[in-house]
Amino acid sequence: MAEVLLENINKNFGKIKAVDDFCLHVMDKEFIVFVGPSGCGKSTTLRMIAGLEEISSGNISIDQHIVNNTHPKNRDIAMVFQNYALYPHLSVRENISFGIRAQKLPKNEITSRTMEAAKILGLDELLDRRPGELSGGQKQRVAMGRAIVRKPKVFLFDEPLSNLDAKLRHKMRVEMKKLHQQVQTTTIYVTHDQVEAMTLADRIVIMKDGKIEQVGSPDEVYHKPNSQFVASFIGSPAMNFFSGTLEVLDNMHFLRCDGGETIDLVDWPDLIGSKLTMGIRPEHMELKTEKSSKAVTTVLDAKVAVLEPMGHEVIVTCDSNIGEVIGKYTDNTKLKVGQTIHFEFKKENIHFFDENSGKRVS
Amino acid sequence: MIDQASRIAYLEKIQPGKIIIWTLLFLGGVVMITPLAFMISTSFKTGTEVFNLGIIPENPTLKNYIFILNESKFLRWMLNSLWVATFSTVSVVFFDSLVGYTLAKFTFRGQTIVFVAILSTLMIPTEMLIIPWYMMSREFGWIDTYWGIAFPGLMTGFGTFLMRQFFMGLPDELIEAARIDGWSEFAIWSKIAMPLVVPALSALAIFHFLGNWTAFIWPLIVTNDPDLYTIPVGLASFNGEFETDWEIVMTASCLATLPTLLVFLLLQKFIIRGVMLAGLKG
Ligand SMILES: Nc1ncnc2c1ncn2[C@@H]1O[C@H](COP(=O)(O)OP(=O)(O)OP(=O)(O)O)[C@@H](O)[C@H]1O
Ligand SMILES: [Mg+2]
């Protein structure tokens, strides 16, 4: 059990700045997820915590000790790699116990801890197999077994589920969460899958180009994204964006889009005159086939272009006079391509970002 | 009539290309086997019959074998060869893979220079090295010692290069995982890296062993004492200045090939895999 403190971490590979002034305080027992597009520096940060990569500057502490120059084996961490890194010539039993055998523990301790880990992960039956004789999910479990048998202070996972198919990934995700609830070890988990991030994390760290864009609970990053990047990264289908200028005429507020078209809004007095990007999530727009008579905040008229039925809901891609809009609906009403519909949404679900910096302004 | 029809069908199936290939392979086989057959047959012939080219000896005899095993130092040479070849093979397996691993999986200053230096030794033919080796051996008193025979083969540029290439193919994660687990670098090499390159290692070991078993020029130069001759040198010593007892030479050669044959039979699987791996001709 331990805290991990990252202070102003930088990492340069020659001219490439892979990690840029990274600051984060990971609490004891916390499940932290690093998420971001490919090449944003997630793995590099994790590898620096593990000690597999030297840091260019900054401080890393684990459990109140600065470990900048500590050998990986003395950091008391365990890491699970994307392709599992199982030793092909060793049995599952030997793979799991390999780490604690290095610590020269007594034999019966090694056996009992191996059995314990195998039991937690349901590997009892497979102990004598070689990795080559295991399925992807089983390999993944052996890799986790190798980590938990060590009882480390911190778990580091680098995209541990990305080699699995969608169904198995969901199953392992649940097991992962169960495992964390059981052993409660501080965990840092890297993924580029926002669903994994949302479902697993206590706090999510969203990264872009080596920098932290936002740190927050899944709720926070979903409801209050700090920037347009975060807003577009979290949530599926992605948030709709419209850019333009907020204007006022006869006490009516509206966004004048770059093409000249407008969409009516209600009072945003402090933003008048600024160049903005407005964001609204598909699930926050109510789809209506008839215009409702009661006064709603904003209505966007659109024409259905593509329907994507998912069973429990339908994703609708529409054309509107301010650009393409994606919406969702669960209604049983049958929509037809070409039909005119109306999206209604409330003020509190609208996000505004500065058009140049992409930062949140509302 | 049926007979005639099936004969035609059979003849139509024969493709000219196949006939040519099989003929060539057959001729190649004959060329390879004939000397061997003569070697074996001569070893059972008497001295007077040697120049009679019949493949079956007229009066088969074991006299030559008895003579060699009783009257010459053949067994001693066999042991010498075995010792030198084994010793240098163990050394090559250890050092070549250790250096190859270091070059493949570590980055350090001067790495490229070391690698290029090792590669460049591949371009120097043995014949050119013999004089410096000899001068070195004379200075250090290595003439007529096992060490003197073995030292040039204790590490090879080729083996180092080969092992480096194979270690490059090992995923870094395996090594990093073991490092996090707390194993020493040496333990990682011996417990993780080495077992995973066994096919390459065995290829290297087999070729090196056979190469040393048949090495001639250097052992000939560095040994004067017949007690230290290796097999090829001993064989050559049967060649007299004026006349040669060919039946004796052939018998000794037969005996000398036995261990090689044994190695091949026992390790056939490894050798074939090794040859394919190393992309070498056997
Ligand atoms: N050993 C290295 N040498 C040079 N550049 C590197 C090295 N490792 C990573 N980089 C660079 O650092 C940046 C961050 O890489 P990193 O592997 O951390 O990305 P990532 O977020 O893990 O991406 P992915 O989701 O694809 O795994 C990339 O631009 C990458 O090209
Ligand atoms: Mg990565």
Short mmCIF file of all heavy atoms in Angstrom, two decimals, chain A residues 24-71:
data_model
loop_
_atom_site.label_atom_id
_atom_site.label_comp_id
_atom_site.label_asym_id
_atom_site.label_seq_id
_atom_site.Cartn_x
_atom_site.Cartn_y
_atom_site.Cartn_z
N LEU A 24 1.52 14.57 -10.62
CA LEU A 24 0.37 13.78 -10.21
C LEU A 24 0.63 13.19 -8.83
O LEU A 24 1.74 12.76 -8.53
CB LEU A 24 0.14 12.64 -11.21
CG LEU A 24 -1.07 11.73 -10.93
CD1 LEU A 24 -2.37 12.49 -11.16
CD2 LEU A 24 -1.02 10.50 -11.83
N HIS A 25 -0.41 13.22 -8.01
CA HIS A 25 -0.32 12.60 -6.69
C HIS A 25 -1.30 11.43 -6.65
O HIS A 25 -2.51 11.65 -6.62
CB HIS A 25 -0.64 13.63 -5.61
CG HIS A 25 -0.40 13.12 -4.23
ND1 HIS A 25 -0.51 13.90 -3.11
CD2 HIS A 25 -0.04 11.90 -3.79
CE1 HIS A 25 -0.23 13.18 -2.04
NE2 HIS A 25 0.06 11.96 -2.43
N VAL A 26 -0.78 10.23 -6.71
CA VAL A 26 -1.64 9.05 -6.67
C VAL A 26 -1.80 8.64 -5.22
O VAL A 26 -0.81 8.41 -4.51
CB VAL A 26 -1.03 7.88 -7.48
CG1 VAL A 26 -1.97 6.69 -7.48
CG2 VAL A 26 -0.72 8.32 -8.90
N MET A 27 -3.06 8.56 -4.78
CA MET A 27 -3.32 8.24 -3.37
C MET A 27 -3.14 6.75 -3.11
O MET A 27 -3.21 5.93 -4.03
CB MET A 27 -4.77 8.61 -3.00
CG MET A 27 -5.15 10.02 -3.31
SD MET A 27 -4.19 11.13 -2.30
CE MET A 27 -4.74 12.69 -2.93
N ASP A 28 -2.98 6.43 -1.85
CA ASP A 28 -2.94 5.04 -1.43
C ASP A 28 -4.24 4.34 -1.84
O ASP A 28 -5.32 4.92 -1.70
CB ASP A 28 -2.76 5.01 0.09
CG ASP A 28 -2.56 3.61 0.60
OD1 ASP A 28 -2.08 2.77 -0.19
OD2 ASP A 28 -2.85 3.36 1.77
N LYS A 29 -4.14 3.14 -2.35
CA LYS A 29 -5.29 2.30 -2.75
C LYS A 29 -6.05 2.82 -3.96
O LYS A 29 -7.08 2.28 -4.33
CB LYS A 29 -6.28 2.12 -1.60
CG LYS A 29 -5.66 1.46 -0.40
CD LYS A 29 -6.68 1.23 0.67
CE LYS A 29 -5.99 0.68 1.90
NZ LYS A 29 -6.83 0.68 3.08
N GLU A 30 -5.56 3.88 -4.54
CA GLU A 30 -6.30 4.47 -5.65
C GLU A 30 -6.09 3.69 -6.95
O GLU A 30 -5.04 3.09 -7.15
CB GLU A 30 -5.86 5.92 -5.85
CG GLU A 30 -6.84 6.73 -6.67
CD GLU A 30 -6.47 8.21 -6.72
OE1 GLU A 30 -5.30 8.55 -6.49
OE2 GLU A 30 -7.36 9.01 -6.99
N PHE A 31 -7.09 3.68 -7.80
CA PHE A 31 -6.98 3.10 -9.14
C PHE A 31 -6.95 4.26 -10.13
O PHE A 31 -7.95 4.92 -10.36
CB PHE A 31 -8.18 2.19 -9.42
CG PHE A 31 -7.94 1.22 -10.54
CD1 PHE A 31 -8.02 -0.15 -10.31
CD2 PHE A 31 -7.63 1.66 -11.82
CE1 PHE A 31 -7.80 -1.07 -11.34
CE2 PHE A 31 -7.41 0.75 -12.85
CZ PHE A 31 -7.50 -0.62 -12.60
N ILE A 32 -5.75 4.53 -10.65
CA ILE A 32 -5.58 5.66 -11.57
C ILE A 32 -5.45 5.13 -12.98
O ILE A 32 -4.76 4.14 -13.21
CB ILE A 32 -4.28 6.43 -11.21
CG1 ILE A 32 -4.50 7.30 -9.97
CG2 ILE A 32 -3.81 7.27 -12.37
CD1 ILE A 32 -5.03 8.68 -10.26
N VAL A 33 -6.12 5.75 -13.93
CA VAL A 33 -5.98 5.33 -15.32
C VAL A 33 -5.39 6.47 -16.14
O VAL A 33 -5.88 7.59 -16.08
CB VAL A 33 -7.34 4.89 -15.90
CG1 VAL A 33 -7.19 4.54 -17.37
CG2 VAL A 33 -7.89 3.70 -15.13
N PHE A 34 -4.33 6.17 -16.88
CA PHE A 34 -3.80 7.12 -17.86
C PHE A 34 -4.45 6.78 -19.20
O PHE A 34 -4.39 5.66 -19.65
CB PHE A 34 -2.29 6.94 -18.07
CG PHE A 34 -1.44 7.31 -16.89
CD1 PHE A 34 -0.06 7.07 -16.93
CD2 PHE A 34 -1.97 7.90 -15.76
CE1 PHE A 34 0.74 7.41 -15.85
CE2 PHE A 34 -1.16 8.25 -14.68
CZ PHE A 34 0.20 7.99 -14.73
N VAL A 35 -5.05 7.80 -19.81
CA VAL A 35 -5.67 7.54 -21.10
C VAL A 35 -5.28 8.65 -22.05
O VAL A 35 -4.98 9.77 -21.64
CB VAL A 35 -7.21 7.39 -20.93
CG1 VAL A 35 -7.85 8.71 -20.56
CG2 VAL A 35 -7.86 6.80 -22.17
N GLY A 36 -5.25 8.33 -23.32
CA GLY A 36 -4.89 9.34 -24.31
C GLY A 36 -4.57 8.65 -25.62
O GLY A 36 -4.45 7.43 -25.67
N PRO A 37 -4.45 9.44 -26.69
CA PRO A 37 -4.21 8.84 -28.00
C PRO A 37 -2.81 8.21 -28.07
O PRO A 37 -1.97 8.46 -27.21
CB PRO A 37 -4.34 10.02 -28.96
CG PRO A 37 -4.10 11.22 -28.13
CD PRO A 37 -4.55 10.90 -26.75
N SER A 38 -2.59 7.44 -29.10
CA SER A 38 -1.31 6.77 -29.29
C SER A 38 -0.17 7.79 -29.34
O SER A 38 -0.29 8.82 -29.96
CB SER A 38 -1.36 5.97 -30.58
OG SER A 38 -0.27 5.11 -30.64
N GLY A 39 0.91 7.48 -28.64
CA GLY A 39 2.09 8.33 -28.69
C GLY A 39 2.05 9.51 -27.75
O GLY A 39 2.90 10.39 -27.82
N CYS A 40 1.07 9.57 -26.82
CA CYS A 40 0.97 10.74 -25.96
C CYS A 40 1.85 10.60 -24.72
O CYS A 40 1.89 11.51 -23.90
CB CYS A 40 -0.48 10.97 -25.55
SG CYS A 40 -1.11 9.73 -24.42
N GLY A 41 2.54 9.49 -24.56
CA GLY A 41 3.49 9.37 -23.46
C GLY A 41 3.01 8.55 -22.27
O GLY A 41 3.65 8.57 -21.22
N LYS A 42 1.92 7.83 -22.43
CA LYS A 42 1.40 7.03 -21.31
C LYS A 42 2.40 5.96 -20.89
O LYS A 42 2.76 5.86 -19.71
CB LYS A 42 0.09 6.33 -21.72
CG LYS A 42 -0.94 7.24 -22.35
CD LYS A 42 -2.19 6.47 -22.76
CE LYS A 42 -1.97 5.48 -23.87
NZ LYS A 42 -1.88 6.04 -25.22
N SER A 43 2.84 5.15 -21.87
CA SER A 43 3.75 4.06 -21.54
C SER A 43 5.05 4.59 -20.97
O SER A 43 5.61 4.04 -20.03
CB SER A 43 4.06 3.23 -22.78
OG SER A 43 2.89 2.67 -23.28
N THR A 44 5.54 5.67 -21.56
CA THR A 44 6.80 6.23 -21.10
C THR A 44 6.69 6.63 -19.63
O THR A 44 7.58 6.36 -18.83
CB THR A 44 7.18 7.44 -21.97
OG1 THR A 44 7.16 7.03 -23.33
CG2 THR A 44 8.54 7.97 -21.61
N THR A 45 5.57 7.28 -19.26
CA THR A 45 5.39 7.68 -17.87
C THR A 45 5.37 6.45 -16.95
O THR A 45 6.03 6.42 -15.91
CB THR A 45 4.07 8.46 -17.70
OG1 THR A 45 4.01 9.47 -18.71
CG2 THR A 45 3.95 9.09 -16.35
N LEU A 46 4.64 5.44 -17.38
CA LEU A 46 4.54 4.22 -16.57
C LEU A 46 5.91 3.56 -16.42
O LEU A 46 6.29 3.10 -15.34
CB LEU A 46 3.56 3.25 -17.25
CG LEU A 46 3.01 2.16 -16.35
CD1 LEU A 46 2.02 2.78 -15.37
CD2 LEU A 46 2.31 1.08 -17.16
N ARG A 47 6.66 3.54 -17.52
CA ARG A 47 7.97 2.90 -17.48
C ARG A 47 8.95 3.68 -16.61
O ARG A 47 9.86 3.11 -16.02
CB ARG A 47 8.51 2.74 -18.90
CG ARG A 47 7.75 1.69 -19.71
CD ARG A 47 8.09 1.76 -21.18
NE ARG A 47 9.51 1.59 -21.41
CZ ARG A 47 10.12 0.41 -21.39
NH1 ARG A 47 9.43 -0.67 -21.22
NH2 ARG A 47 11.41 0.33 -21.57
N MET A 48 8.74 4.98 -16.53
CA MET A 48 9.59 5.76 -15.63
C MET A 48 9.26 5.45 -14.18
O MET A 48 10.14 5.38 -13.33
CB MET A 48 9.44 7.26 -15.92
CG MET A 48 10.11 7.67 -17.21
SD MET A 48 10.23 9.45 -17.40
CE MET A 48 8.54 9.86 -17.71
N ILE A 49 7.97 5.24 -13.89
CA ILE A 49 7.59 4.87 -12.52
C ILE A 49 8.19 3.50 -12.19
O ILE A 49 8.67 3.26 -11.08
CB ILE A 49 6.06 4.85 -12.36
CG1 ILE A 49 5.48 6.23 -12.66
CG2 ILE A 49 5.67 4.41 -10.96
CD1 ILE A 49 3.97 6.27 -12.73
N ALA A 50 8.20 2.61 -13.18
CA ALA A 50 8.75 1.27 -12.95
C ALA A 50 10.27 1.29 -12.84
O ALA A 50 10.86 0.37 -12.30
CB ALA A 50 8.33 0.34 -14.09
N GLY A 51 10.88 2.34 -13.40
CA GLY A 51 12.34 2.39 -13.38
C GLY A 51 12.96 1.77 -14.61
O GLY A 51 14.16 1.52 -14.66
N LEU A 52 12.14 1.50 -15.61
CA LEU A 52 12.68 0.91 -16.84
C LEU A 52 13.19 1.99 -17.78
O LEU A 52 13.88 1.71 -18.74
CB LEU A 52 11.59 0.10 -17.55
CG LEU A 52 11.08 -1.11 -16.77
CD1 LEU A 52 9.88 -1.73 -17.46
CD2 LEU A 52 12.18 -2.13 -16.59
N GLU A 53 12.80 3.22 -17.49
CA GLU A 53 13.22 4.34 -18.32
C GLU A 53 13.72 5.41 -17.35
O GLU A 53 13.10 5.64 -16.33
CB GLU A 53 11.99 4.84 -19.08
CG GLU A 53 12.23 5.48 -20.40
CD GLU A 53 12.47 4.46 -21.51
OE1 GLU A 53 11.54 3.73 -21.88
OE2 GLU A 53 13.61 4.42 -21.97
N GLU A 54 14.86 6.03 -17.68
CA GLU A 54 15.35 7.08 -16.79
C GLU A 54 14.53 8.34 -16.99
O GLU A 54 14.05 8.60 -18.08
CB GLU A 54 16.81 7.39 -17.13
CG GLU A 54 17.78 6.54 -16.36
CD GLU A 54 19.21 6.89 -16.74
OE1 GLU A 54 19.53 8.10 -16.73
OE2 GLU A 54 19.97 5.97 -17.04
N ILE A 55 14.37 9.13 -15.92
CA ILE A 55 13.66 10.38 -16.10
C ILE A 55 14.67 11.47 -16.46
O ILE A 55 15.81 11.44 -16.02
CB ILE A 55 12.87 10.79 -14.83
CG1 ILE A 55 13.77 10.80 -13.59
CG2 ILE A 55 11.71 9.88 -14.61
CD1 ILE A 55 13.04 11.24 -12.35
N SER A 56 14.25 12.40 -17.33
CA SER A 56 15.17 13.46 -17.73
C SER A 56 15.26 14.51 -16.63
O SER A 56 16.32 15.06 -16.36
CB SER A 56 14.70 14.12 -19.02
OG SER A 56 14.64 13.16 -20.05
N SER A 57 14.11 14.81 -15.97
CA SER A 57 14.16 15.67 -14.80
C SER A 57 12.88 15.46 -14.00
O SER A 57 11.91 14.92 -14.51
CB SER A 57 14.30 17.14 -15.21
OG SER A 57 13.10 17.58 -15.79
N GLY A 58 12.89 15.91 -12.74
CA GLY A 58 11.74 15.74 -11.88
C GLY A 58 12.00 14.73 -10.79
O GLY A 58 13.13 14.26 -10.63
N ASN A 59 10.94 14.45 -10.02
CA ASN A 59 11.07 13.52 -8.91
C ASN A 59 9.94 12.50 -8.92
O ASN A 59 8.78 12.86 -9.11
CB ASN A 59 11.00 14.26 -7.57
CG ASN A 59 12.34 14.85 -7.19
OD1 ASN A 59 13.38 14.22 -7.42
ND2 ASN A 59 12.32 16.05 -6.64
N ILE A 60 10.29 11.26 -8.69
CA ILE A 60 9.27 10.23 -8.51
C ILE A 60 9.44 9.68 -7.10
O ILE A 60 10.55 9.30 -6.72
CB ILE A 60 9.43 9.08 -9.51
CG1 ILE A 60 9.26 9.59 -10.94
CG2 ILE A 60 8.42 7.97 -9.22
CD1 ILE A 60 9.39 8.52 -12.00
N SER A 61 8.36 9.68 -6.31
CA SER A 61 8.45 9.03 -5.00
C SER A 61 7.39 7.95 -4.91
O SER A 61 6.27 8.11 -5.39
CB SER A 61 8.23 10.00 -3.85
OG SER A 61 8.49 11.31 -4.23
N ILE A 62 7.78 6.86 -4.30
CA ILE A 62 6.84 5.80 -3.99
C ILE A 62 6.89 5.61 -2.49
O ILE A 62 7.98 5.45 -1.93
CB ILE A 62 7.23 4.49 -4.71
CG1 ILE A 62 7.17 4.68 -6.23
CG2 ILE A 62 6.31 3.34 -4.28
CD1 ILE A 62 7.66 3.50 -7.04
N ASP A 63 5.73 5.69 -1.85
CA ASP A 63 5.67 5.51 -0.40
C ASP A 63 6.64 6.44 0.32
O ASP A 63 7.41 6.02 1.17
CB ASP A 63 5.98 4.04 -0.07
CG ASP A 63 5.45 3.66 1.30
OD1 ASP A 63 4.62 4.42 1.84
OD2 ASP A 63 5.86 2.61 1.81
N GLN A 64 6.61 7.70 -0.06
CA GLN A 64 7.41 8.77 0.58
C GLN A 64 8.91 8.71 0.30
O GLN A 64 9.67 9.48 0.85
CB GLN A 64 7.23 8.80 2.11
CG GLN A 64 5.91 8.34 2.63
CD GLN A 64 4.85 9.43 2.60
OE1 GLN A 64 5.19 10.60 2.46
NE2 GLN A 64 3.60 9.06 2.70
N HIS A 65 9.36 7.75 -0.51
CA HIS A 65 10.79 7.69 -0.81
C HIS A 65 11.02 8.09 -2.26
O HIS A 65 10.36 7.58 -3.15
CB HIS A 65 11.34 6.28 -0.61
CG HIS A 65 11.26 5.80 0.80
ND1 HIS A 65 12.07 6.31 1.79
CD2 HIS A 65 10.46 4.88 1.39
CE1 HIS A 65 11.76 5.72 2.93
NE2 HIS A 65 10.79 4.85 2.73
N ILE A 66 11.99 8.96 -2.47
CA ILE A 66 12.33 9.33 -3.83
C ILE A 66 13.05 8.15 -4.49
O ILE A 66 13.98 7.60 -3.91
CB ILE A 66 13.20 10.60 -3.84
CG1 ILE A 66 12.32 11.78 -3.40
CG2 ILE A 66 13.78 10.85 -5.22
CD1 ILE A 66 12.95 13.13 -3.56
N VAL A 67 12.57 7.75 -5.65
CA VAL A 67 13.13 6.54 -6.27
C VAL A 67 13.77 6.84 -7.63
O VAL A 67 13.99 5.92 -8.42
CB VAL A 67 12.04 5.45 -6.45
CG1 VAL A 67 11.55 4.95 -5.11
CG2 VAL A 67 10.88 5.98 -7.28
N ASN A 68 14.08 8.12 -7.87
CA ASN A 68 14.62 8.51 -9.17
C ASN A 68 15.71 7.58 -9.68
O ASN A 68 15.76 7.25 -10.85
CB ASN A 68 15.22 9.92 -9.10
CG ASN A 68 14.16 10.95 -8.84
OD1 ASN A 68 12.99 10.61 -8.78
ND2 ASN A 68 14.56 12.20 -8.69
N ASN A 69 16.61 7.18 -8.79
CA ASN A 69 17.74 6.37 -9.23
C ASN A 69 17.69 4.97 -8.65
O ASN A 69 18.70 4.27 -8.64
CB ASN A 69 19.05 7.06 -8.84
CG ASN A 69 19.18 8.40 -9.53
OD1 ASN A 69 18.95 8.51 -10.74
ND2 ASN A 69 19.48 9.44 -8.76
N THR A 70 16.52 4.57 -8.18
CA THR A 70 16.40 3.25 -7.59
C THR A 70 16.21 2.21 -8.68
O THR A 70 15.48 2.44 -9.65
CB THR A 70 15.20 3.21 -6.63
OG1 THR A 70 15.30 4.33 -5.76
CG2 THR A 70 15.17 1.93 -5.83
N HIS A 71 16.89 1.08 -8.55
CA HIS A 71 16.73 -0.01 -9.51
C HIS A 71 15.29 -0.52 -9.46
O HIS A 71 14.68 -0.56 -8.39
CB HIS A 71 17.72 -1.13 -9.16
CG HIS A 71 17.82 -2.18 -10.22
ND1 HIS A 71 16.95 -3.24 -10.31
CD2 HIS A 71 18.68 -2.34 -11.26
CE1 HIS A 71 17.27 -4.00 -11.34
NE2 HIS A 71 18.33 -3.48 -11.94
#
